[in-house]
Amino acid sequence: MTAGRPLPHDSAALHVSGAARYVDDIPLPANALHLAFGLSPEAHGRLRGLDLDAVRQAAGVIAVFTAEDLRFANDVSPSVHDEPLLAEAEVFYHGQPIFLVAATSHRAARKAAKLAKIDVDPLPAIVTIDQALSADSRFEDGPVIWQNGDVDNALARAAQVIEGSVELGGQEHFYLEGQASAALPQDDGDMVVHSSTQHPTEIQHKVAEALGLPMHAVRVETRRMGGGFGGKESQGNALAVACAVAAQATGRPCKMRYDRDDDMVITGKRHDFRIGYRIGVDGTGRLLAADFTHLVRCGWAQDLSLPVADRAMLHADNAYHIPVMRIESHRLKTNTASATAFRGFGGPQGMFGIERALDHVAHVLRMDPVDLRRRNFYSGPGAPRQHTHYGMEVEDFDLRPMVSALLQRSDYATRRASVDQWNRENAVLKKGLALSPVKFGISFTLTHLNQAGALVHVYQDGSVAMNHGGTEMGQGLNQKVAQVAARIFGIGPDRVRITATDTAKVPNTSATAASSGSDLNGMAVKAACETIKSRLVQHLCKKFSVSDKEIRFEDGKVKVCDQVFSFADVVQAAYLARISLSATGYYRTPKLSWDRVKGRGRPFFYFAYGVAATEAVVDTLTGESRILRADILHDAGASLNPALDIGQVEGGYVQGAGWLTMEELLWDDDGRLLTHAPATYKIPTARDAPEVFNVALWDGENREETIYRSKAVGEPPFMLGISAFLALSDAVSACGPGYADLDAPATAERILAAINRVRA
Amino acid sequence: MIKSRLSCLPENNNPAPLLRRIEAAHFGTDRVRRRDFLMDISFRLNGELVSLTDVDPTRSVLDFLREDKGLTGTKEGCNEGDCGACSALVGDAGGVRAQNTCLMMLGHLDGRALVTVEGLAAPDGTPHPVQQALVDHHGSQCGFCTPGFAVTLAAGHLSSDHDIKTLLGGNLCRCTGYAPILRAAEAAATETSPPHLKDALEAPRPDASKEAGPACPGAVDALATLYADHPEATLIGGATEVALDVNKALKDLPFPIFLGQVREFDKIEITEDKITFGAGASIETLRRIMAGHHPGFAEMLTRFGSAQVRAAGTIGGNVANGSPIAETPPPLIALGAELHLRHRDARRNLPLEQYYVAYGQQDRRDGEFIEAVSIPRQKDRLRSYKIARRFDQDICTVLGAFNIHVNVGKVLSARIAFGGMAGVVKRAEAVERALIGRPWTRETVAAALDAFETDFAPISDLRAGADYRREVARNLLLRYWHEDQGTPVAVMGVTP
Ligand SMILES: Cc1cc2nc3c(=O)[nH]c(=O)nc-3n(C[C@H](O)[C@H](O)[C@H](O)COP(=O)(O)OP(=O)(O)OC[C@H]3O[C@@H](n4cnc5c(N)ncnc54)[C@H](O)[C@@H]3O)c2cc1C
Ligand code: FES
Ligand code: FES
């Protein structure tokens, strides 16, 4: 069976040889222009004057554009039209694009862009969460509040209430390939756009608006991205629109890619949060009530912040049944780059809140943190079902057996004892060990996005070409989907070619996001393949006077009773019999009903689960730390490709651990991002991955009818990294009687400060 | 946004003083002189000889590969030496290594061999063992980092370097979590390297008839004259700092002088009483030599930049600009190193700490350059502690070097130097005084800690706050003491 096999990524051979093409590698005609933005030098202010003479006169410059030069829509927002491509009267963050230079080379454009005299009359900049709160600077009229029961009442009756607050930093995507786009004007005024985007349809939409064209006049193609992680869901709009506008104006192909520093300054990142919590427990550690406050720093434009903040609220329970719950979510507007989608889309922040709170509760109750967690898990199969705080029944709670299995595999109890012993014997280095589970809801919370289309062609030689709305950013979506098609036709995956995502082939697609790629597109492709297959079957039934039960497609052959034909021969015969060998497929996720205003309903088709145990060590003299070992058990349902899924788990864990340990974004008081390059913003290297790294997939299948009962795997493993943070917290707690009270990211500086606190 | 790698303050993005001088000079108008600094360059690229005439030698090799040669397998991930996506193999008399092409300039290529990812596979298309292993072990996801990993792994493969994590410290991958890449490296280790690589990495024979142009002097005397005549020129060692001025600050360097072919600069001389490094010795060479004399220095240097940066960066380039967070100066000063400076024919020697006058100010006149650095031979008591946000490829927040000699329980001598604690790399003289002559005990150490307040008043910047620096500096003395007592002090030393 092809689906389920651990085949390599379909582009692996191209990756390793350097032949795989990304947007900046596409050869363009010699007259192509290269673009660069001129950026706002202030975080907030009125644009008083813009002297671009020197820019225009600089070597290689062909054209310069300001907002006034834009003939149609000046907007690149994915949501509420609040994000101009080029600033108009006011600038809202340091690094906001103000003008656009088109020049004969990338370097010439960048050099010229620095020559502008930008006169900005500064206005007070709101940079921090506290500043935004005190200025009441926010999106929506007030906080979004979801309540399930009377939390004050429940807390008043609890045996103990544990209160705290934790800072949780944002995260730069640091996709290795920076944002890039290229636009090629066509002879009839149409525009072809190559974009490194997770959302070609939105690029098409924004480009069409900006060019004053109907959507059918714009074709967007995305072959692959060098990483996305959510950072290319909306953040590529500006480049694509800039290229299209400049290409329309000059009649020449235009390409734009951000220099890394510009990329980090201009584009949005993961939302940083401050999370306040009050947790009521009974004498046995049972959670009675929880009251969370999410202060969410959204940046200057709305972008995707509302659904991100919603998803944080939706994951405030993580894996625990909390009978009474209140969450207050403040979506704060600040003069910083607009925070955006990033793997987990708010889920990690919500989940971090409860996990951190439980860490605190366990410390106060002097209870084993694993016991505390297990005591509060949702009910498993067999027991009466429980509901989440937003009213969704938890039907498939697999974490109880998964946690038991992981505790055993990781030899947790023995290692707990040896960590404690180490800590008794060592004065300078202290170890910590922690476990954390993940329950992550799968589906877009904007219900209409849960649909997908596909286009499948079978050629006369039996080779198959297909296209779907998903984009390939490294997750192996195309390979997985090709395996689905291969399985249906009973042919080798090498006979299936997935071509670049193309808005002219599959229209009106959703972003490849919310882990939905293979769930949605796999099903759409399956539908298309089955349409074609059933035509072939019908044809064979008629021709051989057999029933469809007597026909099998396997091993590249078609078996009709005891006759065997090659797939190619069957296809050829069908063609001669004038049978259509091309079909579209369509899928929409069932069972969803969600009222986001009330915060009630079933926003998710199902949950994906995982559990990780991490061991870490800290240096009490310097606060330096290191992850020693991680053991993970992750639920990918009946995996479509276990090798690719394990890749997502390993990569997700390291990225999640990086977020909470070493990756720190810093702004100065004037709203300038200080860590705008990999020189100062540090993502994990090979040495920062756990020295011992045991990752396995849980042997189970999705109880819902997903594509071959698999589960989505893009985002959920990211949150396994929370266990790394908790292990550090555990190590710090070994230094003294107090609670570590560690903020994230747990840098050496924060760890050392926390050690001083617990000792005090 | 101007940036300088070794600047320690966010707002302190001042280019090096030397560069400031150049700005003040009258360049750009004198066409004839500018032309003198163009170069004819020949090198081997993926096995083929390439000759270029009259090129701007400061053009980035990465841009040249991608834009001129259409060799787009070499990727730009950062254009500042931090991600490794642009790595290519470089071969010359010094051997073979991976380097970041974004930090290399065409001038560096002259007389060398370069193999890009496109040249790893055998002529018949058979992938290099590391390439095949990356496929087999699912080592690529988005694939953008992959060419760089393949190249770096191939470099390690050629030199049978099995310390893969150190080798890969300068290659970032955001997708895989590295696990499959490490598995691939392990699997490929036992395979033999394809023979074509050796030939392709053979440096072309230096053309004896060719007059090395002014931009590329072959002897130190020529350099001394040229630089004294043209103090507005930019000396370029490995360019791991200078390239950032070109790539990020978008500067032109009209008068570049490449130091890579200055014969005397590679020399390392070990005598009875000192070890002398030519200014052009790479950080990797320094590390290799130090391993046999001061292993603690060498150990710290495995954290200096990345394999690619250590191969390119030079000791002269590291000490020249007086960055307070340059990482060789603290251990060098703790060892009592001397700087050998030269202006035209005038030579002088200077204890390294005296070279650093104040922030942004060194004891070096126009047209003077560093010829060599020497370290007195001594018994090894040196430990160098680098504190950074990340173990690999990160500039220090604080770096403390301790060279404390103890005789029958008493501190005989102490030289302690810190980076990241002041506007220059500086000795902790008050702390030294508090130790010298006292018994080598926990009490002495504890009593000396307050002397740090006398020595340093650190600042807050994006790497850490002043309080953290202050506390860590004290604690590093404690670490030295603990380590001397045999207590485990390094998180990297802990086995899971
Ligand atoms: C990614 C990355 C990581 C880095 N990591 C570290 C690190 O961990 N620790 C650290 O300390 N540094 C680090 N650096 C900085 C840099 O690599 C080192 O300072 C290196 O030693 C510089 O040497 P170079 O030959 O490349 O210098 P170049 O860039 O060639 O020159 C640097 C300066 O010194 C001058 N100069 C060079 N040689 C001489 C000479 N003989 N006489 C007088 N002046 C001279 C040049 O004119 C220039 O102003 C890093 C840089 C990068 C890009
Ligand atoms: S492009 Fe990142 S190291 Fe060269
Ligand atoms: S595979 Fe995407 S960055 Fe390494």
Side-chain angles (χ1 to χ4, degrees), chain B residues 81 235 237-242 304-305 314 318 320-321 327 370 386 395:
Chain B
L235 301 184
T240 58
E241 288 179 32
V242 172
F304 185 116
T314 63
N318 194 236
N321 282 340
E327 293 175 357
I370 298 165
K386 170 171 172 173
I395 306 272

Side-chain angles (χ1 to χ4, degrees), chain B residues 96-175:
Chain B
V96 173
R97 69 256 167 202
Q99 275 186 223
N100 300 310
T101 56
C102 69
L103 300 178
M104 284 179 85
M105 299 174 176
L106 283 180
H108 286 113
L109 280 184
D110 190 40
R112 298 203 154 106
L114 191 74
V115 171
T116 66
V117 66
E118 288 91 349
L120 290 183
D124 70 356
T126 309
H128 186 285
V130 301
Q131 292 177 307
Q132 190 56 50
L134 283 166
V135 173
D136 296 343
H137 294 269
H138 311 279
S140 69
Q141 286 182 22
C142 80
F144 199 81
C145 70
T146 314
F149 274 94
V151 163
T152 310
L153 287 173
H157 197 254
L158 273 168
S159 54
S160 303
D161 182 349
H162 299 306
D163 183 0
I164 299 297
K165 288 188 181 177
T166 299
L167 176 72
L168 294 181
N171 288 81
L172 298 178
C173 174
R174 194 51 151 167
C175 298

Side-chain angles (χ1 to χ4, degrees), chain B residues 339-343 346-350 355 363-364 368-372:
Chain B
L339 209 53
H340 306 280
L341 292 150
R342 176 165 176 185
H343 182 269
R347 291 189 159 97
R348 63 193 178 107
N349 304 329
L350 198 66
Y355 176 73
D363 181 359
R364 180 157 73 95
E368 189 175 38
F369 62 93
I370 298 165
E371 215 172 358

Side-chain angles (χ1 to χ4, degrees), chain B residues 61-103:
Chain B
V61 170
L62 176 60
D63 287 353
F64 167 77
L65 291 172
R66 293 182 53 82
E67 293 173 4
D68 298 9
K69 287 285 163 187
L71 292 170
T72 53
T74 308
K75 305 296 181 198
E76 178 180 320
C78 66
N79 210 16
E80 61 166 39
D82 269 290
C83 75
C86 65
S87 301
L89 295 176
V90 179
D92 61 15
V96 173
R97 69 256 167 202
Q99 275 186 223
N100 300 310
T101 56
C102 69
L103 300 178

